Amino acid sequence: MTEFKAFSKMKELMTNYYIEAKTTKEKPIAWITSGAPVEFLFAMDIIPIYPENYAAMCAASHQSVELMEAAEQAGFSQDICAYARTDFGADITQGGPAAGLPPPHFLLCSTNICKTVIKWYEVVARKYNVPLFIVDTPFLHEGLNKDLIDYTVTQFRDLEDFLSEFIGRPFDRDRFYEVLALSQEAAEHWRRMLYLGKTVPSPFNSLDSFIHLGPIVTLRGTKECVDYYKLLYEEVAERAEKKIGSIPEERYRVLWDNLPVWFKMRRLERFFEEKKCTLVVTTYANSWGGMSNYQVEEEGDPYELLAASYLDVYINWGFEERIKYLAQLMDEFCLTGFVMHSNRSCKPYSVGMYRLQEEVSKLTARPGVVIEADQNDPRIYSDAQVETRLEAFIESMDSI
Amino acid sequence: MVDDDFANGWRIVSKGELQVEDLVEGVTEFLFNPAPCCCIYNPENDRHPYLVDKVKGAEADGVLFWYIKFCEPDAFDRPQLMGRLKEEDIPSATIDVELSMTTFDAVKTRINAFCEILEG
């Protein structure tokens, strides 16, 4: 990974966050999906816990296989999302980093990232006998409209009532607005940092952004999160200004679509570096530059703005929008090609991917490749197969 | 086989006529009731007590789960459903099926083994 001074700060932040979550006696714990409106929880002093983030940590530290096997032993099919299986396994064995997650008092799930989370959280709700609140965010087949925003806002109001009843005091709207502002500020630092990838050579690579995602997913809405991304932005901006690239010699610049292959980060990093290829931008990391990111002081109902920002995310878009966005990133970041990870675990991200590749290639006149892999399950990953495809793809690109 | 809970079996057959006076209400009612489906989240119509009641009502000795790849909603539900049946002393087993399967010998063996368990 590119060496950033901010990295130690992130480790400290994430460690403190997990220690508080594991040891707190006062604060309620809510398990929450990565695309759910966490701001409502921080406004009520509830600690959000992200099973997805935890599952990724398990895979990155090469612990996911034994956990998934424990879940499969308990009857969960290998066909279901590997994040869910990893978490079920950690729950059954109390294994994984920090020996599993603190038990939830309730669950908050939003369908803007996938519909699978409903089933996943139903299993958790039944296991722990806790309430499950679902924010149903409709898929944007043909863009965002007022009806979809209104529908989502009504659920935010219900969520406030739910939290108020659960905690036993009125929903703290003043605190909520403060949290919204912090959330927006952190997301904006993150977005600006990611867009520094437009610099040639790119001052960071996407494997770095996957690693530095932790706080924007788990802690957006806190002051610590803002401070961290400000620090990271400044460090990356300095590198961009001095034209320090993430790899010694950058000949190819590519986009990565879909989640990372968490258990192959190091190997893929070495592979791309040897080929003088930088992964510059990803649709995945970009998503958290959009969620919660709007001007709070702008005229307009903050609830509507928040609803729009949570609905309007890449994985919740129809094909036309995805194609346009991918082509736009290809141009804005001066890319020579793109890599699409057909991810067995993440069906909504992967379905139709070969068609997307064809369309984006046609539109941009640049090559793309689809690799078959999984975000968390090394048992279905083949180094030779993936790397052979990537090699052929890199050879087909024109260098910068 | 004395009863079923297939999505294209009892779950459809058990539905009444679609009420058209208030179409939105009618469609909602039609989707959510009476048989709960793994694809629809409705805690007020829980699959667990529903299935236990259905087994008892049909005086069935056990339950065979018929998992067709890649029905993720069903795959998520099944382990806990089987656990619930076990609590009620109702034996159950799973058969994995792919739509592209052409030989069913393994399935037959599994069903035979399950029947032997039921016969005690």
Side-chain angles (χ1 to χ4, degrees), chain A residues 128-162:
Chain A
Y128 284 97
N129 195 22
V130 292
L132 163 60
F133 192 98
I134 298 173
V135 177
D136 177 34
T137 41
F139 191 77
L140 308 186
H141 289 282
E142 290 175 330
L144 196 55
N145 65 44
K146 182 80 170 64
D147 287 343
L148 300 177
I149 291 173
D150 289 348
Y151 173 68
T152 308
V153 169
T154 58
Q155 296 176 76
F156 288 169
R157 303 287 186 200
D158 290 344
L159 176 58
E160 286 184 350
D161 293 343
F162 167 79

Side-chain angles (χ1 to χ4, degrees), chain A residues 74-77 79-81 84 88 116 118-120 122-124 126-127 132-134 344-345 347, chain B residues 37-42 46-49 67 69-70 72-80 84 96:
Chain A
F76 290 101
S77 164
D79 298 333
I80 68 168
C81 166
F88 292 159
T116 298
I118 300 176
K119 298 310 295 181
W120 176 354
E122 265 188 78
V123 170
V124 180
R126 205 180 286 278
K127 159 85 196 288
L132 163 60
F133 192 98
I134 298 173
R344 193 174 185 275
S345 272
K347 293 157 187 82
Chain B
C37 175
C38 55
C39 296
I40 291 173
Y41 177 66
N42 181 10
D46 190 352
R47 283 188 84 193
H48 282 214
Y67 170 63
K69 276 180 184 298
F70 296 87
E72 208 178 32
D74 195 46
F76 268 99
D77 278 359
R78 190 167 28 88
Q80 288 181 327
R84 173 63 187 272
D96 273 11

Side-chain angles (χ1 to χ4, degrees), chain A residues 145-334:
Chain A
N145 65 44
K146 182 80 170 64
D147 287 343
L148 300 177
I149 291 173
D150 289 348
Y151 173 68
T152 308
V153 169
T154 58
Q155 296 176 76
F156 288 169
R157 303 287 186 200
D158 290 344
L159 176 58
E160 286 184 350
D161 293 343
F162 167 79
L163 293 174
S164 168
E165 198 176 315
F166 192 84
I167 302 293
R169 63 183 157 89
F171 185 74
D172 190 341
R173 206 158 281 173
D174 292 336
R175 176 78 189 116
F176 177 62
Y177 289 142
E178 286 168 21
V179 172
L180 283 184
L182 290 169
S183 200
Q184 189 277 330
E185 202 180 339
E188 181 58 12
H189 285 311
W190 177 241
R191 192 194 65 79
R192 285 173 68 213
M193 193 290 276
L194 292 174
Y195 274 66
L196 288 169
K198 288 182 183 180
T199 321
V200 182
S202 176
F204 66 92
N205 66 62
S206 301
L207 299 164
D208 298 321
S209 55
F210 292 147
I211 294 293
H212 288 266
L213 259 176
I216 195 68
V217 176
T218 55
L219 294 168
R220 67 178 187 284
T222 67
K223 176 81 171 60
E224 292 81 1
C225 186
V226 174
D227 294 344
Y228 171 68
Y229 285 108
K230 186 167 180 290
L231 191 74
L232 183 66
Y233 169 76
E234 286 166 357
E235 198 180 338
V236 177
E238 196 184 326
R239 286 177 67 99
E241 201 176 315
K242 292 179 180 162
K243 300 271 181 203
I244 305 171
S246 86
I247 60 174
E249 193 187 340
E250 182 176 285
R251 293 193 62 204
Y252 306 103
R253 295 165 56 83
V254 301
L255 170 146
W256 177 280
D257 188 42
N258 212 312
L259 275 74
V261 182
W262 288 112
F263 50 88
K264 284 289 169 191
M265 298 281 278
R266 295 264 173 223
R267 184 170 171 126
L268 284 173
E269 183 180 40
R270 278 198 301 273
F271 174 88
F272 281 110
E273 186 171 336
E274 271 173 27
K275 307 287 176 202
K276 302 181 172 42
C277 179
T278 314
L279 300 180
V280 178
V281 61
T282 76
T283 51
Y284 182 63
N286 279 12
S287 298
W288 285 273
M291 268 187 291
S292 318
N293 198 354
Y294 53 84
Q295 298 305 315
V296 185
E297 55 279 355
E298 251 180 38
E299 272 189 40
D301 182 340
Y303 286 79
E304 290 183 6
L305 295 169
L306 190 70
S309 86
Y310 276 104
L311 283 163
D312 200 10
V313 287
Y314 179 79
I315 197 174
N316 203 39
W317 291 348
F319 273 15
E320 294 297 324
E321 293 299 316
R322 288 193 198 192
I323 291 167
K324 268 190 260 170
Y325 180 63
L326 289 167
Q328 182 195 329
L329 291 176
M330 294 288 291
D331 286 340
E332 280 185 17
F333 285 78
C334 303

Side-chain angles (χ1 to χ4, degrees), chain A residues 49-62:
Chain A
I49 286 289
Y50 291 79
E52 292 158 69
N53 184 270
Y54 184 75
M57 274 166 56
C58 293
S61 56
H62 304 285

